[in-house]
Amino acid sequence: MGSLQHFLDSPISVPFSPNLNHRRSFFLRACLNLDVHAPDSVKPKTHLKSREVMEMEGKVLVGTYARNPVVISNGKGCKLYDPEGREYLDCTSGIAVNALGHGDPDWVKAVVEQANLLTHVSNVFYSVPQVELAKRLVACSFADRVFFANSGTEANEAAIKFARKYQRFTNPEKQQATEFISFSNSFHGRTMGALALTSKEQYRFPFEPVMPGVNFLEYGDVQAATELIKSGRIAAVFVEPIQGEGGIYSATKEFLQSLRSACDDAGSLLVFDEVQCGLGRTGYLWAHEVYGVVPDIMTLAKPLAGGLPIGAALVSEKVAAAIKYGDHGSTFAGGPLVCNAAIAVLDKISKPGFLASVSKKGQYFKELLIHKLGGNSHVREVRGLGLIIGIELDVSASPLVDACRDSGLLILTAGKGNVVRLVPPLIISEQELERAAEIILECLPALDKTN
């Protein structure tokens, strides 16, 4: 058992919340640091210790990641464990990937059974799981057809190519629209086309020149977007209905409806990037369902195969009609193994009862966080929908993230580094959400200590 640290032990009063019915006093226990060990059934099998793994990583891998000083060896449900057996409550889901948590039995069964049958054949041949997954995605969305990729950035690269080809296909006799619109705080990927659509300059600058022709506008600026779309130069508008990496900002219905209307009038395509916010994360199967606005292309990835690499561009028939043999492709995309895993994920998440539970738990979690954290001077806002929630601070969130990790809770940052991003597995229980909120509360004094 490790050390128990009390930086503060004094009563605080939290402002009244009409949704929680009463005012309560708490004892704020900053950064409670307890060693919790894994049960024998999930003990790691590796003989390497955490320090050995981290030292080895520094010698053999390219240094592209500023990793947290934690080695994850195994997990179950919403819990993760390091090689020493220490337990962590996971509110990261591998950056919104592990929607069914870790080791979901139906997902494991689908992977093992398919691995014993067929893992990979390439797209030179047909395979049953790929067709079955595409059929399911078409049945539960606006789309008529699907293109599979291996990640979110690949899905967005496909959308870029499809938009350019669509304009050439539909307007062969006149100058084609070739430019794109993206928005402030956007993140669409790290390959050269998707990177060009990503607003953060620090991501683009080291690799410039990136793809030309991208116009960045303020997220939510209806007038500026409408005017630029009307110019006739825009092949497609890329927008996240809810921005994840950008800071958990939600679009308004007016904004997305205005984009849809302007794109229809000008012949531009509307692309919704739901790589992070789609597939049940909001309590709706697709985030755009909240707004009643339908895109021409929707890109998916993160949670679709439950932890295996997959991406998808879902398209309407008018877009698909422009794409011919050889226009795009991938060796690995849509392989039998990942598609069978994705079928297991989609079948579970798309059930109305599952989505209703995500919505209920998300509302409860947000209200709980507002109630517990609302009186702290550093907390500006708690926002989000379903189980994609952001806590905006007036200082860097890193000290809080570190303190929570030391207390057994894994969380992420977003935005300019001042937003705590909470994207737990969609199966998380209310009891686990309560524990997460309590740890965050206990660790808030880390912000005062560091800043």
Side-chain angles (χ1 to χ4, degrees):
M1 187 67 73
S3 62
L4 178 65
Q5 302 173 0
H6 288 276
F7 295 143
L8 184 63
D9 190 13
S10 58
I12 65 166
S13 186
V14 180
F16 172 76
S17 168
N19 294 310
L20 293 176
N21 300 323
H22 59 282
R23 188 182 184 91
R24 296 175 62 189
S25 292
F26 297 91
F27 275 82
L28 185 61
R29 299 180 305 281
C31 302
L32 186 63
N33 194 359
L34 287 171
D35 282 347
V36 181
H37 293 283
D40 290 339
S41 61
V42 290
K43 284 285 180 68
K45 295 180 180 179
T46 178
H47 298 297
L48 291 173
K49 299 299 183 183
S50 292
R51 182 177 297 278
E52 294 173 315
V53 174
M54 288 186 272
E55 289 175 353
M56 193 183 305
E57 187 269 357
K59 296 175 181 178
V60 297
L61 288 175
V62 177
T64 53
Y65 302 108
R67 301 180 197 269
N68 284 284
V70 176
V71 176
I72 302 299
S73 61
N74 57 307
K76 187 67 178 175
C78 297
K79 303 291 176 54
L80 291 169
Y81 303 92
D82 68 13
E84 290 73 37
R86 184 161 188 226
E87 181 181 283
Y88 297 89
L89 177 57
D90 181 15
C91 279
T92 71
S93 302
I95 317 182
V97 168
N98 300 105
L100 299 182
H102 306 278
D104 175 80
D106 295 322
W107 181 87
V108 171
K109 182 173 181 285
V111 171
V112 171
E113 287 183 352
Q114 187 59 49
N116 280 317
L117 286 175
L118 184 67
T119 300
H120 173 77
V121 292
S122 86
N123 288 295
V124 173
F125 306 100
Y126 296 90
S127 64
V128 175
Q130 184 182 105
V131 175
E132 287 291 340
L133 177 58
K135 186 170 72 173
R136 281 168 164 80
L137 288 168
V138 167
C140 67
S141 73
F142 74 94
D144 298 301
R145 295 177 186 269
V146 180
F147 174 84
F148 287 114
N150 301 289
S151 65
T153 193
E154 283 192 26
N156 283 321
E157 292 285 349
I160 290 169
K161 290 180 72 174
F162 292 173
R164 286 267 181 90
K165 182 66 188 302
Y166 171 80
Q167 296 297 340
R168 184 179 296 274
F169 178 78
T170 54
N171 301 293
E173 302 301 324
K174 67 175 187 177
Q175 184 174 355
Q176 280 93 39
T178 58
E179 296 183 22
F180 298 93
I181 291 176
S182 189
F183 295 94
S184 59
N185 301 311
S186 63
F187 184 87
H188 297 290
R190 295 179 183 270
T191 50
M192 292 301 276
L195 182 64
L197 297 169
T198 295
S199 67
K200 286 188 177 181
E201 289 188 10
Q202 65 265 35
Y203 290 153
R204 300 197 316 270
F205 178 74
F207 310 104
E208 290 180 340
V210 294
M211 179 183 72
V214 177
N215 303 272
F216 288 105
L217 303 177
E218 192 69 25
Y219 189 69
D221 191 332
V222 171
Q223 183 177 352
T226 301
E227 289 178 358
L228 187 52
I229 294 168
K230 285 181 178 179
S231 71
R233 307 195 314 267
I234 304 303
V237 177
F238 280 74
V239 62
E240 300 156 273
I242 298 177
Q243 295 181 323
E245 170 77 15
I248 321 300
Y249 292 108
S250 300
T252 64
K253 187 172 184 177
E254 177 197 11
F255 177 49
L256 295 187
Q257 285 181 333
S258 71
L259 294 179
R260 177 71 278 171
S261 178
C263 285
D264 287 341
D265 291 343
S268 302
L269 296 181
L270 181 59
V271 182
F272 285 165
D273 180 336
E274 295 209 14
V275 167
Q276 186 161 166
C277 65
L279 204 63
R281 177 60 55 184
T282 61
Y284 294 80
L285 189 56
W286 314 118
H288 66 264
E289 292 178 324
V290 179
Y291 307 95
V293 180
V294 175
D296 300 298
I297 302 175
M298 175 172 66
T299 56
L300 305 174
K302 288 183 179 292
L304 183 54
L308 295 180
I310 193 172
L314 278 61
V315 304
S316 63
E317 190 61 48
K318 74 175 185 180
V319 176
I323 309 305
K324 305 302 179 186
Y325 296 132
D327 280 347
H328 201 34
S330 169
T331 298
F332 289 101
L337 184 68
V338 293
C339 284
N340 210 49
I343 289 169
V345 173
L346 184 59
D347 283 353
K348 228 171 205 186
I349 290 178
S350 60
K351 290 178 179 176
F354 187 97
L355 293 170
S357 75
V358 173
S359 184
K360 179 185 176 185
K361 289 184 291 189
Q363 185 64 26
Y364 176 70
F365 194 27
K366 189 162 73 167
E367 290 176 0
L368 190 64
L369 290 167
I370 291 170
H371 182 67
K372 284 182 176 290
L373 311 182
N376 187 278
S377 62
H378 292 300
V379 177
R380 287 179 173 175
E381 184 182 14
V382 178
R383 57 177 177 257
L385 183 65
L387 288 172
I388 178 168
I389 294 175
I391 305 168
E392 183 175 345
L393 306 173
D394 66 352
V395 292
S396 170
S398 293
L400 179 57
V401 171
D402 294 343
C404 286
R405 183 185 65 243
D406 291 341
S407 295
L409 174 68
L410 302 180
I411 56 179
L412 300 165
T413 61
K416 298 176 181 178
N418 66 320
V419 177
V420 173
R421 178 174 21 166
L422 300 166
V423 282
L426 303 184
I427 61 162
I428 196 167
S429 67
E430 289 191 358
Q431 184 180 9
E432 288 169 323
L433 292 172
E434 290 164 1
R435 181 62 186 141
E438 187 66 23
I439 292 174
I440 294 170
L441 173 65
E442 290 164 353
C443 292
L444 278 177
L447 297 174
D448 293 314
K449 182 180 178 182
T450 307
N451 291 286

